[in-house]
């Protein structure tokens, strides 16, 4: 394999020992994606367990329940003094409520159902078989605990209740070898987790200026609740997400540059669409836009418009108006009660359904030095999402038009500007925020062998 991949893998012989290292990570990811389906079930179990392991603590604190406890009631007995069994079961955790491994597997399997094809068996059955295989390979252990307690029925009698729980954790053997097998499974899935986390977090870049109206009835059309200004084109969403992701990568909040890949990001947005987080509509103008007359310019094309579902729009935010500065205004007397721009004209609070989704996905991501403090991550991500909007708004009126080997800076003068619509760019132009396409290699980051914007 190393001989076949000699152009992608380097070999150093001048060190204390022979070392192989990746030369072209992006191209190597192509081969990883070809074999990941062989280990997807093990990867889901490993990543589900990693969400607890990365919190640290003793080995007892780095284990998770396989499933919810099973309770069985036994014979009815008369109360005596002293009691034959304790009055309650011992606590399962140190005051913490952690999801079970089955619940983690359900979430991950549902999140990536557009990426992988799973076994036709029931999820619980697949999970049981995968756990047993990993136990046999001494990667994880399975420990069964049984406890009994008395459940009072009346003044004189009680029922003996038995509780059975199964714990899953890393074996001592796996820890001694540096979690070699465990980390291998995690590394297969971590790039996808970064991509889907970025897809969810980048929706903070399309928070509307106008809050959606409340529903008038259960059958009220959800599109009518969204202001036309809240819609952006699919291309605008993708460009914001990639620029946002590139900044997060160089600041250390994203581990894998391939997570900014256009195709995997599109899969992430499609999954969010299936979950009802975002809405997609096609048309020349944003839905709900009043258009004068029926005539339409021949150059105007049908676009795909995207907006946050009204139920997912953060309510505790104040987004600046179109002409309002996004830069913080120093106000020494004002206390920074919220994260984001302290003392600025708007504040963002990391709470709500959208942020909870980002946090749920982020629990499984690979730990990094800058990703250990959730408060600092929240502040940084929210701040950068606002800056991404500022970058896009300040440069949305300018396009780089590529004509042969020349580049002409032009202003969009489409006929649809007469109706007040912020038109998108046509197929021969790119909105690069005042940058040359060669300065933005993320514009069309695709799998190896596909077209790359930097090569145009």
């Amino acid at each position: 394999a190393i001989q076949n991949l000699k152009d992608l893998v380097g070999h150093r012989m001048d060190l204390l020992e022979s070392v192989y290292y990746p030369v072209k990570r992006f191209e190597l990811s192509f081969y990883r994606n070809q074999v990941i389906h062989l280990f997807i079930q093990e990867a889901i179990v490993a990543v589900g367990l990693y969400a607890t392991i990365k919190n640290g603590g003793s080995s007892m604190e780095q284990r998770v329940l396989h499933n919810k406890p099973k309770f069985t009631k036994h014979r009815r007995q008369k109360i005596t003094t002293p009691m034959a069994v304790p009055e309650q079961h011992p606590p399962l955790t140190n005051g913490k409520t952690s999801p079970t491994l089955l619940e983690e597997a359900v979430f991950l399997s549902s999140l990536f159902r557009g990426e992988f094809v799973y076994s036709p068996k029931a999820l619980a059955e697949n999970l049981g078989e995968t756990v047993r295989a990993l136990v046999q390979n001494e990667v994880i252990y399975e420990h069964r605990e049984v406890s009994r307690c008395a459940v009072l029925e009346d003044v004189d009698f009680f029922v003996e209740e038995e509780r059975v729980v199964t714990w899953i954790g890393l074996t001592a053997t796996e820890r001694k070898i540096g979690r070699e097998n465990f980390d291998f499974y995690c590394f297969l899935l971590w790039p996808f987790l970064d991509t889907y986390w970025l897809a969810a977090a980048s929706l903070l870049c399309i928070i509307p200026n106008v809050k959606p109206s409340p529903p008038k009835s259960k059958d009220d059309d959800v599109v009518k609740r969204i202001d036309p200004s809240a819609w952006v084109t699919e291309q605008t969403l993708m460009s914001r997400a990639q620029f946002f992701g590139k900044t997060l990568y160089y600041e250390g909040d994203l581990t894998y540059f391939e997570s900014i890949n256009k195709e995997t990001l599109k899969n992430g947005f499609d999954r969010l669409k299936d979950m009802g987080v975002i809405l997609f509509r096609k048309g020349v103008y944003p839905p709900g836009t009043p258009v004068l007359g029926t005539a339409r310019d021949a150059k105007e094309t049908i676009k795909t418009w995207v907006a946050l579902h009204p139920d997912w729009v953060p309510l505790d935010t104040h987004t600046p108006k179109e002409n309002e500065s996004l830069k913080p205004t120093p106000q020494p007397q004002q206390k920074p009660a919220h994260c984001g721009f302290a003392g600025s004209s708007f504040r963002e609070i990391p709470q709500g359904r959208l942020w909870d989704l980002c946090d749920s996905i982020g629990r499984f991501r690979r730990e990094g030095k800058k990703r250990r403090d959730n408060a600092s991550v929240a502040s940084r991500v929210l701040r950068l999402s606002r800056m991404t909007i500022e970058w896009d708004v300040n440069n949305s009126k300018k396009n780089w038009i590529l004509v042969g080997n020349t580049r002409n800076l032009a202003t969009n003068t489409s006929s649809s500007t007469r109706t007040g619509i912020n038109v998108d760019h046509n197929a021969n132009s790119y909105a690069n925020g005042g940058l040359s396409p060669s300065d933005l290699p993320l514009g069309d980051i695709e799998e190896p062998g596909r077209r790359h914007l930097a090569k145009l």
Side-chain angles (χ1 to χ4, degrees), residues 46 64 90 96 99 152 163 180 194 220 240 289 339 373 411 426:
V64 297
K96 300 178 182 178
L152 298 180
R163 185 190 68 185
E180 188 175 277
D194 261 14
D220 191 14
R240 289 186 185 182
T289 303
C339 66
D373 184 2
T411 303
N426 58 43

Side-chain angles (χ1 to χ4, degrees), residues 284-286 289-292 297 300 303 396-397 399 411-425:
V284 176
Y285 308 119
T289 303
V291 181
L292 300 177
D297 195 316
E300 295 175 349
K303 305 180 183 70
S396 61
K397 297 181 181 180
N399 302 328
T411 303
N412 197 329
T413 56
S414 173
S415 60
S416 58
T417 56
R418 294 193 299 267
T419 61
I421 304 302
N422 183 16
V423 298
D424 204 359
H425 318 294

